[in-house]
C-alpha cells in the first residue's frame, strides 16, 4: 500500500489543476511557459509512486484498480493529456504531443487505449503543424518513432501483440496521412513478431492495404510505403512452423 505524505499528494494535485485550468484559455502561452514546472511536480510524485510498487507494471488501466482515486496516479495524468489533446488550438496540440512523446513510459504508464486511441489518430491531424517543412532534420518524426518503438517493446503482453495492434490501429485510422503511416511502418519493421499475424489475417490485412489504403497515398510515396508494409507483414506473419499452409480461397 502506498503511504503518501499529505503535502506530496497536495503538490501533485495542485500541478494537475493548474494545468487543467490553463487549458481553459485558447491561447497557449500560459501552458507553454509553466509546463515544465507543473510536469516536474507530477512526475516527481509518480516516481515515488512507482518506487513504492503501487500499481507496478499494471499500466494506467491497471493502476486505476490498485491506487485510490484520491491519489494522483498515471490514470489521472492520462486524463490531463486527453483534455490537452482535445484543445481547440492546434498550437496546444503540437506542444502537448511533443511533450507526450518525450515522456518516460515506464514512469507514466500510458495505457494502450490512450496510445492507440488518442495519440495515434492525432498524428494524421494538423499535418502542417506537426510536420513543418522547417524541421529539415525531421526531429519530430524521430521522436515519434522512438515513442512508439518503446510502446511496442514495453507492452505487458509482449512486442508481438503490441506490433499487431499498432498495425491494425494505424490502418484503421480515418483520413490516414502518408507521413504517420510511413512512421508507424518504420517502427514495426524493426520488430520480429513472428506468428503475431496468422496467414489468413495476413491476407486480409494485405487486401485492406492494397485495395483501400495505398491508393489514397501520394504517388511519390507509394513505393516506399508499400516496400515497408511488405517487410512488416513478413516479420509479423512468419510462422514457427515452416510447413504451415493457408487456404487462400477460404481466407
Amino acid at each position: 500500500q502506498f503511504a503518501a505524505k499529505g503535502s506530496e499528494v497536495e503538490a501533485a494535485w495542485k500541478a494537475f489543476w493548474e494545468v487543467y485550468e490553463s487549458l481553459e484559455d485558447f491561447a497557449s502561452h500560459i501552458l507553454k511557459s509553466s509546463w515544465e514546472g507543473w510536469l516536474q511536480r507530477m512526475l516527481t510524485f509518480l516516481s515515488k509512486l512507482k518506487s513504492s510498487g503501487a500499481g507496478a507494471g499494471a499500466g494506467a488501466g491497471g493502476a486505476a484498480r490498485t491506487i485510490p482515486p484520491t491519489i494522483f496516479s498515471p490514470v489521472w495524468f492520462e486524463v490531463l493529456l486527453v483534455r490537452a489533446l482535445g484543445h481547440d488550438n492546434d498550437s496546444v496540440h503540437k506542444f502537448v504531443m511533443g511533450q507526450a512523446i518525450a515522456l518516460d513510459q515506464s514512469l507514466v504508464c500510458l495505457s494502450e487505449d490512450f496510445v492507440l486511441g488518442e495519440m495515434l489518430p492525432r498524428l494524421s491531424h494538423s499535418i502542417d503543424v506537426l510536420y513543418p517543412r522547417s524541421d529539415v532534420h525531421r526531429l519530430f518524426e524521430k521522436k515519434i518513432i522512438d515513442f512508439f518503438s518503446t510502446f511496442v517493446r514495453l507492452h505487458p503482453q509482449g512486442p508481438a501483440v503490441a506490433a499487431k495492434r499498432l498495425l491494425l490501429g494505424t490502418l484503421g485510422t480515418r483520413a490516414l496521412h502518408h507521413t504517420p503511416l510511413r512512421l508507424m511502418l518504420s517502427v514495426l519493421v524493426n520488430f520480429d513478431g513472428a506468428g503475431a499475424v496468422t496467414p489468413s489475417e495476413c491476407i486480409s490485412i494485405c487486401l485492406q492495404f492494397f485495395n483501400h489504403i495505398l491508393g489514397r497515398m501520394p504517388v511519390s510515396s507509394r513505393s516506399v510505403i508499400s516496400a515497408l508494409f511488405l517487410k512488416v507483414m513478413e516479420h509479423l506473419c512468419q510462422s514457427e512452423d515452416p510447413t504451415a499452409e493457408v487456404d487462400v480461397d477460404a481466407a
Side-chain angles (χ1 to χ4, degrees):
Q1 184 176 359
F2 178 63
K5 294 180 180 179
S7 58
E8 295 173 339
V9 177
E10 182 180 355
W13 276 121
K14 183 178 180 182
F16 172 91
W17 286 115
E18 287 174 347
V19 175
Y20 207 95
E21 289 174 5
S22 74
L23 294 170
E24 295 300 312
D25 291 331
F26 181 79
S28 62
H29 64 280
I30 297 177
L31 177 69
K32 291 179 178 179
S33 63
S34 303
W35 174 267
E36 188 62 31
W38 290 333
L39 180 65
Q40 286 306 313
R41 277 189 279 164
M42 291 185 286
L43 293 185
T44 296
F45 185 80
L46 292 180
S47 178
K48 293 181 179 180
L49 199 66
K50 179 183 177 181
S51 299
S52 73
R65 294 189 294 270
T66 59
I67 300 173
T70 53
I71 301 294
F72 181 76
S73 66
V75 76
W76 284 112
F77 188 72
E78 242 182 53
V79 167
L80 193 62
L81 292 178
V82 170
R83 171 67 182 88
L85 292 176
H87 200 276
D88 294 331
N89 189 337
D90 285 348
S91 178
V92 173
H93 290 171
K94 181 180 180 180
F95 175 76
V96 174
M97 185 69 79
Q99 296 297 315
I101 62 176
L103 292 169
D104 179 354
Q105 293 186 58
S106 67
L107 178 60
V108 296
C109 302
L110 297 176
S111 68
E112 179 183 314
D113 286 344
F114 174 77
V115 173
L116 300 186
E118 297 291 340
M119 295 188 67
L120 181 59
R122 285 181 168 83
L123 294 178
S124 287
H125 299 171
S126 306
I127 294 299
D128 292 337
V129 175
L130 287 177
Y131 315 99
R133 294 182 179 180
S134 59
D135 186 11
V136 293
H137 298 293
R138 297 183 174 180
L139 298 179
F140 187 70
E141 293 188 12
K142 293 175 182 177
K143 291 178 180 179
I144 289 175
I145 290 175
D146 289 343
F147 175 86
F148 281 91
S149 295
T150 302
F151 164 75
V152 173
R153 188 175 66 254
L154 297 181
H155 196 279
Q157 292 179 270
V161 171
K164 177 181 177 179
R165 292 177 182 172
L166 178 57
L167 175 63
L168 295 178
T170 300
L171 299 183
T173 299
R174 295 182 61 184
L176 178 62
H177 190 270
H178 66 91
T179 297
L181 174 57
R182 171 176 54 80
L183 296 179
M184 294 306 102
L185 292 176
S186 297
V187 169
L188 294 169
V189 78
N190 292 314
F191 286 93
D192 182 9
V197 176
T198 66
S200 59
E201 288 175 328
C202 180
I203 293 174
S204 177
I205 292 171
C206 287
L207 289 174
Q208 176 190 5
F209 176 80
F210 287 106
N211 290 342
H212 303 292
I213 296 176
L214 187 62
R216 301 203 306 263
M217 301 297 115
V219 174
S220 60
S221 69
R222 291 179 189 175
S223 60
V224 172
I225 290 175
S226 58
L228 279 172
F229 173 79
L230 290 174
K231 289 181 181 179
V232 168
M233 296 312 299
E234 180 183 6
H235 289 175
L236 298 185
C237 196
Q238 287 178 343
S239 173
E240 296 180 359
D241 180 3
T243 64
E245 298 180 353
V246 60
D247 186 341
V248 176
D249 293 331

